[in-house]
Amino acid sequence: LADRRVPLISATGSCRMGYRVAEVVGARMGRVLLELGGNNGVIVMQDANLDLALRAILFGAVGTAGQRCTTIRRLLVQRGVAAELKRRLIAAYAQVRIGDPLEPETLMGPLVNDAAVREMLEGIEIIRSRGGRILYGGRRLDRPGCFVEPTLVEAHPGMPVLREELFAPVLYILEFDTLEEAIRLHNDVPQGLSSAIFTESLAAAETFLSARGSDCGIANVNIG
């Protein structure tokens, strides 16, 4: 930031960091290109390949301990497969290896610092107070370092916290009946960066990619 020869700065991370970057660069009349927070959603239709969806959701929500702008934070599941997918996710989360990210067997490393741990735990309490149900995780691990459990939350659309970005491995699960309802829930947040749908229906996939579908800049379709 101190190098005045650089006219354009790209930054990733939270909106709060983006505000700080804009202040510093703006003081020298510089330009910024900011990729800020994401509240990314994934839709799972009842015709989806759940084995494929499970692997993608697990890595997308837990990898990097939820500390990247493309982390999956909201999972929208059609009611017909919701119970089964929740069961599989709970079993998969219980097997996540947490530890040194330089070790090849580790899937999830620590949060960046103690402040991030505090923010996550405070967020968990807010979630509980607003009617969210913790299906798995939600605690700090009793070991040196900023290690926490990846967390699954059974949420409902009326929770204000769904529209905020908790920069931690917390995944909200919401159920829906129709694709139209899922798209409405998916787009009902002020942040949008990446999104995906799991389905075997070309019609559903095309709707998701159309002007009536995902309003995110990066949209992925997984068929099969």
Side-chain angles (χ1 to χ4, degrees), residues 10-224:
S10 176
T12 61
S14 69
C15 295
R16 184 172 55 191
M17 177 59 71
Y19 288 135
R20 179 57 183 154
V21 171
E23 289 175 358
V24 173
V25 178
R28 61 173 174 79
M29 300 297 289
R31 293 183 297 149
V32 295
L33 174 63
L34 299 173
E35 181 182 303
L36 303 179
N39 197 343
N40 311 294
V42 168
I43 296 173
V44 178
M45 303 297 292
Q46 61 189 15
D47 62 358
N49 181 327
L50 293 188
D51 291 331
L52 177 65
L54 178 66
R55 292 194 297 270
I57 294 163
L58 181 66
F59 182 77
V62 172
T64 64
Q67 298 171 112
R68 68 176 184 275
C69 47
T70 53
T71 291
I72 300 172
R73 306 199 183 280
R74 295 174 300 130
L75 178 61
L76 311 172
V77 188
Q78 200 161 19
R79 293 192 195 280
V81 292
E84 175 63 13
L85 186 54
K86 288 177 189 177
R87 183 189 68 78
R88 293 193 189 192
L89 279 169
I90 292 170
Y93 268 54
Q95 298 178 52
V96 170
R97 295 190 177 184
I98 304 170
D100 184 346
L102 297 179
E103 296 294 331
E105 67 274 10
T106 297
L107 177 60
M108 192 181 102
L111 295 186
V112 63
N113 54 30
D114 280 318
V117 175
R118 288 195 301 272
E119 288 182 6
M120 175 180 168
L121 297 180
E122 289 170 1
I124 295 297
E125 291 308 310
I126 293 174
I127 289 166
R128 286 194 172 103
S129 70
R130 299 299 175 88
R133 186 164 75 94
I134 307 301
L135 299 178
Y136 183 87
R139 296 174 295 184
R140 182 172 190 161
L141 296 182
D142 186 17
R143 67 170 73 167
C146 301
F147 294 98
V148 297
E149 293 177 323
T151 303
L152 291 169
V153 176
E154 193 173 67
H156 60 83
M159 296 171 60
V161 70
L162 289 172
R163 308 184 82 249
E164 302 172 3
E165 184 188 23
L166 184 58
F167 217 61
V170 177
L171 179 64
Y172 302 105
I173 304 174
L174 299 102
E175 298 182 18
F176 67 88
D177 292 307
T178 66
L179 177 60
E180 291 71 22
E181 180 188 0
I183 291 174
R184 178 180 57 79
L185 292 171
H186 175 279
N187 294 341
D188 189 30
V189 295
Q191 318 92 338
L193 182 58
S194 69
S195 62
I197 186 171
F198 288 84
T199 182
E200 290 190 348
S201 166
L202 288 176
E206 290 175 354
T207 298
F208 180 75
L209 292 173
S210 73
R212 296 186 292 120
S214 169
D215 62 1
C216 290
I218 306 171
N220 298 292
V221 171
N222 301 274
I223 298 179

